[in-house]
Each structure stands twice: as C-alpha cells, then as structure tokens.
Amino acid sequence: MTHVFVAEFTSAEAMNQAAGSAARLGHPADDALTPFPVPEVLEQLSHRRKRPVGWVMVLGGAAAAGIIWFVQWYSAAVDYPIISGSRPFNSWQIFFLVAYEACILFGGIAGFTAFARDCSLPSLYHPLFSITAIERATQNHFFLVFHAAENHRDRVSDLIATLNPISVNEVAL
C-alpha cells in the first residue's frame, strides 16, 4: 500500500524552503500544488520519467501507414488488378495520399491513447479529493505531496514533521 502525505504551507517561500530541505534529506517531494507558478520549487521536486507519447505516435502512425499501403497494393496488384489510365498496379503516387492520411489519423489516436493511459484517465476520483484543504491550493495555500511505501511510512512522516508545515494530511492509495 502506498501512502500520500500532503504538507500545507502558508507562503511560497516556506514551501520552497521545505522542498529544499526534503530534497537535501534524501526524500524530495513528488509534486507541489500552488495557486500560481513557483519555478524555484521545480528544481527540488523528484524528477519524473519522460513519457514516451511522441514515440508511440510515430510508431502508431508508421504502422498504420504501412498497413494501409499494403492493403492498397494488395487490392490493386493482387486481388483485383485493373489497368486504369495506363498506370501500373503498384502506383505509389496514388497510394501515398491515403497512407499519409492514415499515418496522421492513427498517430493522433495512438498519442491520445498513450496520454490518457499515462494520466490514468478516465479517473473520476482520486483519494486526494477527500482532503478538504486541497481546495485552497487554487486560492492562497501551498502544498507539497510526498509518496511513501508502507515500509517507509514512518520515516517520511518524521521527515515531514521536521519541515514545519501548518498541517499534514495522509491518504492511503
């Protein structure tokens, strides 16, 4: 089981100092929830792995273009060969347009699907929604979010207590 700790701070400076302290102590915060951008805190958060949405789009588009190209070639050259306008059966000039459109369409669909999967969509509920203080993240308070496994729960809880937050909320995922 994973535990999520949400530490609340009254100012961006206090949150930034707490994020720096947590990073120096070896357990950087996973996310920061703020009412306005605080670029200084980004350097002190744990780094997330880069999502492969671009590569998924390229592979999905290339696969779709290849399949469409093959379907057109098979239908024009093998299955039902008709000489039309004295063009060859393998007429790549004509096949290119449909393959290009299929590449764009299926690349976009693959990209959206990868994005939705990486964002855990559709998820209509998250346990953080049960913390009523989170609503103030869009108004005037600042939050640091820490994730901890069951065996590191006490260590992370003690670390957060040293950061002097206003309040600490814990949610089990």
Side-chain angles (χ1 to χ4, degrees), residues 67-115:
I67 290 169
I68 292 296
W69 192 290
F70 174 76
V71 167
Q72 290 183 93
W73 170 81
Y74 184 80
S75 67
V78 176
D79 191 37
Y80 196 66
I82 295 178
I83 298 176
S84 172
S86 71
R87 67 176 174 85
F89 295 139
N90 187 13
S91 181
W92 67 269
Q93 298 91 345
I94 304 300
F95 298 167
F96 178 77
L97 296 174
V98 177
Y100 177 74
E101 290 178 9
C103 176
I104 299 298
L105 175 67
F106 286 99
I109 291 171
F112 178 75
T113 305
F115 173 74

Coordinates of all heavy atoms in Angstrom, one line a residue, residues 67-115:
I67 N 0.3 -0.5 -43.0 CA -0.8 -1.4 -43.2 C -1.7 -0.9 -44.4 O -2.1 -1.7 -45.2 CB -1.6 -1.6 -41.9 CG1 -0.8 -2.4 -40.9 CG2 -2.9 -2.3 -42.2 CD1 -1.3 -2.4 -39.5
I68 N -2.0 0.3 -44.4 CA -2.8 0.9 -45.4 C -2.1 0.8 -46.8 O -2.8 0.5 -47.8 CB -3.2 2.4 -45.1 CG1 -4.1 2.5 -43.9 CG2 -3.8 3.1 -46.3 CD1 -5.4 1.8 -44.1
W69 N -0.8 1.0 -46.8 CA -0.1 0.9 -48.1 C -0.2 -0.6 -48.6 O -0.5 -0.8 -49.8 CB 1.4 1.2 -47.9 CG 2.1 1.4 -49.2 CD1 2.5 0.4 -50.0 CD2 2.6 2.6 -49.8 NE1 3.1 0.9 -51.1 CE2 3.2 2.2 -51.0 CE3 2.5 3.9 -49.4 CZ2 3.8 3.2 -51.8 CZ3 3.1 4.8 -50.2 CH2 3.7 4.5 -51.4
F70 N 0.0 -1.5 -47.7 CA -0.1 -2.9 -48.1 C -1.5 -3.3 -48.5 O -1.7 -4.0 -49.5 CB 0.2 -3.9 -46.9 CG 0.0 -5.3 -47.2 CD1 0.9 -6.0 -48.0 CD2 -1.1 -6.0 -46.7 CE1 0.7 -7.3 -48.3 CE2 -1.3 -7.3 -47.0 CZ -0.4 -8.0 -47.8
V71 N -2.6 -2.8 -47.9 CA -3.9 -3.1 -48.3 C -4.2 -2.5 -49.6 O -4.8 -3.2 -50.5 CB -4.9 -2.5 -47.2 CG1 -6.4 -2.5 -47.8 CG2 -4.9 -3.3 -45.9
Q72 N -3.8 -1.3 -49.9 CA -4.0 -0.7 -51.3 C -3.2 -1.5 -52.3 O -3.7 -1.8 -53.4 CB -3.5 0.7 -51.3 CG -4.4 1.6 -50.5 CD -3.9 3.0 -50.6 OE1 -4.4 3.8 -51.4 NE2 -3.0 3.4 -49.7
W73 N -2.0 -1.9 -52.0 CA -1.2 -2.6 -53.0 C -1.8 -4.0 -53.3 O -1.9 -4.4 -54.4 CB 0.3 -2.8 -52.5 CG 1.0 -3.8 -53.3 CD1 1.6 -3.5 -54.5 CD2 1.2 -5.2 -53.1 NE1 2.2 -4.7 -55.0 CE2 1.9 -5.7 -54.2 CE3 0.8 -6.0 -52.1 CZ2 2.3 -7.0 -54.2 CZ3 1.1 -7.3 -52.2 CH2 1.9 -7.8 -53.2
Y74 N -2.2 -4.7 -52.2 CA -2.8 -6.0 -52.4 C -4.1 -5.9 -53.2 O -4.3 -6.7 -54.1 CB -3.1 -6.6 -51.0 CG -3.6 -8.0 -51.1 CD1 -2.8 -9.1 -51.3 CD2 -5.0 -8.3 -51.0 CE1 -3.2 -10.4 -51.5 CE2 -5.5 -9.6 -51.1 CZ -4.6 -10.6 -51.4 OH -5.1 -11.9 -51.5
S75 N -4.9 -4.9 -52.9 CA -6.2 -4.8 -53.6 C -6.0 -4.4 -55.1 O -6.7 -4.9 -56.0 CB -7.2 -3.9 -52.9 OG -6.7 -2.6 -53.0
A76 N -5.0 -3.6 -55.4 CA -4.8 -3.1 -56.7 C -3.9 -4.0 -57.6 O -4.0 -4.1 -58.8 CB -4.2 -1.7 -56.7
A77 N -3.0 -4.7 -57.0 CA -2.0 -5.5 -57.7 C -2.3 -7.0 -57.7 O -1.9 -7.7 -58.6 CB -0.6 -5.2 -57.2
V78 N -2.9 -7.5 -56.6 CA -3.0 -9.0 -56.5 C -4.5 -9.4 -56.5 O -4.8 -10.2 -57.3 CB -2.4 -9.4 -55.1 CG1 -2.6 -10.9 -54.9 CG2 -0.9 -9.1 -55.1
D79 N -5.3 -8.8 -55.7 CA -6.7 -9.2 -55.6 C -7.6 -8.8 -56.8 O -8.3 -9.7 -57.3 CB -7.3 -8.6 -54.3 CG -8.6 -9.3 -54.0 OD1 -8.7 -10.5 -54.2 OD2 -9.5 -8.6 -53.5
Y80 N -7.4 -7.6 -57.3 CA -8.3 -7.2 -58.4 C -7.5 -6.2 -59.3 O -7.8 -5.0 -59.3 CB -9.5 -6.5 -57.7 CG -10.7 -6.3 -58.7 CD1 -11.4 -7.4 -59.2 CD2 -11.1 -5.0 -59.1 CE1 -12.4 -7.2 -60.1 CE2 -12.2 -4.9 -60.0 CZ -12.8 -6.0 -60.4 OH -13.9 -5.8 -61.3
P81 N -6.6 -6.7 -60.0 CA -5.8 -5.9 -60.9 C -6.6 -5.4 -62.1 O -7.0 -6.1 -62.9 CB -4.6 -6.8 -61.3 CG -5.2 -8.2 -61.2 CD -6.2 -8.1 -60.1
I82 N -6.7 -4.1 -62.2 CA -7.4 -3.4 -63.3 C -6.4 -2.3 -63.9 O -6.0 -1.5 -63.1 CB -8.7 -2.8 -63.0 CG1 -9.7 -3.9 -62.5 CG2 -9.3 -2.0 -64.1 CD1 -11.0 -3.4 -62.1
I83 N -6.2 -2.3 -65.1 CA -5.4 -1.3 -65.7 C -6.3 -0.1 -65.9 O -7.2 -0.1 -66.7 CB -4.8 -1.7 -67.1 CG1 -3.8 -2.9 -66.8 CG2 -4.0 -0.6 -67.7 CD1 -3.2 -3.5 -68.1
S84 N -6.0 1.0 -65.2 CA -6.8 2.2 -65.2 C -6.0 3.4 -65.6 O -5.1 3.8 -64.9 CB -7.5 2.4 -63.9 OG -8.1 3.7 -63.8
G85 N -6.2 3.9 -66.8 CA -5.4 5.1 -67.2 C -4.0 4.7 -67.5 O -3.1 5.6 -67.4
S86 N -3.7 3.5 -67.8 CA -2.3 3.0 -68.1 C -1.4 3.2 -67.0 O -0.2 3.4 -67.2 CB -1.8 3.6 -69.4 OG -1.5 5.0 -69.3
R87 N -1.9 3.2 -65.8 CA -0.9 3.3 -64.6 C -0.6 1.9 -64.1 O -1.4 1.0 -64.3 CB -1.6 4.2 -63.5 CG -2.7 3.6 -62.8 CD -3.2 4.4 -61.6 NE -4.4 4.0 -61.1 CZ -4.5 3.0 -60.2 NH1 -3.4 2.4 -59.7 NH2 -5.7 2.6 -59.7
P88 N 0.6 1.8 -63.5 CA 1.0 0.5 -63.0 C 0.1 0.0 -61.8 O -0.5 0.8 -61.2 CB 2.4 0.6 -62.6 CG 2.6 2.1 -62.4 CD 1.6 2.8 -63.3
F89 N 0.2 -1.3 -61.6 CA -0.6 -1.8 -60.4 C -0.1 -1.3 -59.1 O -0.8 -1.0 -58.2 CB -0.5 -3.4 -60.4 CG -1.2 -4.0 -61.6 CD1 -0.7 -5.1 -62.2 CD2 -2.4 -3.5 -62.1 CE1 -1.3 -5.7 -63.3 CE2 -3.1 -4.1 -63.1 CZ -2.5 -5.2 -63.8
N90 N 1.3 -1.2 -59.0 CA 1.9 -0.6 -57.8 C 2.1 0.8 -58.0 O 3.2 1.3 -58.2 CB 3.2 -1.4 -57.5 CG 3.7 -0.9 -56.1 OD1 3.1 -0.3 -55.3 ND2 5.0 -1.3 -55.9
S91 N 1.0 1.6 -57.9 CA 1.1 3.0 -58.2 C 1.3 3.8 -56.9 O 0.4 4.2 -56.2 CB -0.2 3.5 -58.9 OG -0.2 4.8 -59.1
W92 N 2.5 4.0 -56.5 CA 2.8 4.6 -55.2 C 2.4 6.1 -55.2 O 2.1 6.6 -54.1 CB 4.3 4.5 -54.9 CG 5.2 5.3 -55.9 CD1 5.8 4.9 -57.0 CD2 5.6 6.7 -55.7 NE1 6.5 6.0 -57.6 CE2 6.4 7.1 -56.8 CE3 5.3 7.7 -54.7 CZ2 6.9 8.3 -56.9 CZ3 5.8 8.9 -54.8 CH2 6.6 9.3 -55.9
Q93 N 2.3 6.8 -56.3 CA 1.8 8.1 -56.2 C 0.4 8.2 -55.7 O 0.1 9.2 -55.0 CB 1.9 8.8 -57.6 CG 3.2 8.8 -58.2 CD 3.6 7.6 -59.1 OE1 2.9 6.6 -59.0 NE2 4.6 7.7 -59.9
I94 N -0.5 7.3 -56.0 CA -1.8 7.3 -55.6 C -1.9 6.7 -54.1 O -2.6 7.2 -53.3 CB -2.7 6.5 -56.5 CG1 -2.6 7.0 -57.9 CG2 -4.1 6.4 -56.0 CD1 -3.1 8.4 -58.1
F95 N -1.1 5.7 -53.8 CA -1.2 5.1 -52.5 C -0.7 6.0 -51.4 O -1.1 5.9 -50.3 CB -0.3 3.8 -52.5 CG -0.8 2.7 -53.4 CD1 0.1 1.7 -53.7 CD2 -2.0 2.8 -54.0 CE1 -0.3 0.7 -54.5 CE2 -2.4 1.8 -54.9 CZ -1.6 0.7 -55.1
F96 N 0.2 6.9 -51.8 CA 0.9 7.8 -50.8 C -0.2 8.7 -50.1 O -0.1 8.9 -48.9 CB 1.9 8.7 -51.5 CG 2.6 9.7 -50.6 CD1 3.5 9.2 -49.7 CD2 2.2 11.0 -50.5 CE1 4.1 10.1 -48.8 CE2 2.8 11.9 -49.6 CZ 3.8 11.4 -48.8
L97 N -1.1 9.2 -50.8 CA -2.1 10.1 -50.1 C -2.9 9.5 -49.0 O -3.0 10.0 -47.9 CB -3.1 10.7 -51.2 CG -2.4 11.6 -52.2 CD1 -3.4 12.0 -53.3 CD2 -1.8 12.8 -51.6
V98 N -3.4 8.3 -49.3 CA -4.2 7.6 -48.3 C -3.3 7.1 -47.1 O -3.7 7.2 -45.9 CB -5.0 6.4 -48.9 CG1 -5.7 5.6 -47.9 CG2 -5.9 6.9 -50.0
A99 N -2.1 6.7 -47.4 CA -1.2 6.2 -46.4 C -0.8 7.4 -45.5 O -0.7 7.3 -44.3 CB 0.0 5.6 -47.0
Y100 N -0.6 8.6 -46.1 CA -0.3 9.8 -45.3 C -1.4 10.2 -44.4 O -1.2 10.5 -43.2 CB 0.1 10.9 -46.3 CG 0.4 12.2 -45.6 CD1 1.6 12.4 -45.0 CD2 -0.6 13.2 -45.6 CE1 1.9 13.6 -44.3 CE2 -0.3 14.4 -45.0 CZ 0.9 14.6 -44.3 OH 1.2 15.8 -43.7
E101 N -2.6 10.2 -44.9 CA -3.8 10.5 -44.0 C -3.9 9.5 -42.9 O -4.3 9.8 -41.8 CB -5.0 10.6 -44.9 CG -5.0 11.8 -45.8 CD -6.3 11.8 -46.7 OE1 -7.2 11.0 -46.5 OE2 -6.3 12.7 -47.6
A102 N -3.7 8.2 -43.2 CA -3.8 7.2 -42.2 C -2.8 7.4 -41.1 O -3.0 7.2 -39.9 CB -3.8 5.8 -42.8
C103 N -1.6 7.7 -41.6 CA -0.5 8.0 -40.6 C -0.8 9.1 -39.6 O -0.6 9.0 -38.4 CB 0.8 8.4 -41.4 SG 2.2 8.8 -40.4
I104 N -1.4 10.2 -40.1 CA -1.7 11.3 -39.3 C -2.9 10.9 -38.3 O -2.8 11.2 -37.1 CB -2.2 12.5 -40.2 CG1 -1.0 13.0 -41.0 CG2 -2.7 13.7 -39.3 CD1 0.2 13.5 -40.3
L105 N -3.9 10.3 -38.9 CA -5.1 9.9 -38.1 C -4.7 8.9 -36.9 O -5.0 9.2 -35.8 CB -6.1 9.3 -38.9 CG -7.4 8.7 -38.2 CD1 -8.1 9.8 -37.5 CD2 -8.2 7.9 -39.1
F106 N -4.0 7.8 -37.3 CA -3.7 6.8 -36.3 C -2.6 7.3 -35.4 O -2.5 6.8 -34.2 CB -3.4 5.5 -36.9 CG -4.7 4.8 -37.4 CD1 -5.0 4.9 -38.8 CD2 -5.5 4.2 -36.6 CE1 -6.2 4.3 -39.2 CE2 -6.7 3.6 -37.0 CZ -7.0 3.6 -38.4
G107 N -1.7 8.1 -35.8 CA -0.7 8.7 -34.9 C -1.3 9.5 -33.9 O -1.0 9.5 -32.7
G108 N -2.3 10.3 -34.2 CA -3.1 11.1 -33.3 C -3.8 10.3 -32.3 O -3.9 10.5 -31.1
I109 N -4.5 9.2 -32.8 CA -5.2 8.3 -31.9 C -4.3 7.6 -30.9 O -4.6 7.5 -29.8 CB -6.1 7.3 -32.8 CG1 -7.2 8.0 -33.5 CG2 -6.6 6.2 -31.9 CD1 -7.9 7.2 -34.5
A110 N -3.2 7.2 -31.4 CA -2.2 6.5 -30.6 C -1.6 7.4 -29.5 O -1.5 7.1 -28.4 CB -1.0 5.9 -31.4
G111 N -1.4 8.7 -29.9 CA -0.9 9.7 -29.0 C -1.9 10.0 -27.9 O -1.6 10.1 -26.7
F112 N -3.1 10.2 -28.3 CA -4.2 10.4 -27.3 C -4.4 9.2 -26.3 O -4.5 9.4 -25.1 CB -5.5 10.7 -27.9 CG -6.6 11.0 -27.0 CD1 -6.7 12.2 -26.3 CD2 -7.6 10.0 -26.7 CE1 -7.7 12.4 -25.3 CE2 -8.6 10.2 -25.8 CZ -8.7 11.4 -25.1
T113 N -4.3 8.0 -26.9 CA -4.4 6.8 -26.0 C -3.3 6.7 -25.0 O -3.5 6.4 -23.9 CB -4.5 5.6 -26.9 OG1 -5.6 5.7 -27.8 CG2 -4.7 4.3 -26.1
A114 N -2.1 7.0 -25.5 CA -0.9 6.9 -24.6 C -1.0 8.0 -23.6 O -0.6 7.8 -22.4 CB 0.4 7.1 -25.4
F115 N -1.4 9.2 -23.9 CA -1.6 10.3 -23.0 C -2.6 9.9 -21.9 O -2.4 10.1 -20.7 CB -2.0 11.6 -23.7 CG -2.3 12.7 -22.8 CD1 -1.3 13.4 -22.1 CD2 -3.6 13.1 -22.6 CE1 -1.7 14.4 -21.3 CE2 -4.0 14.1 -21.8 CZ -3.0 14.8 -21.1

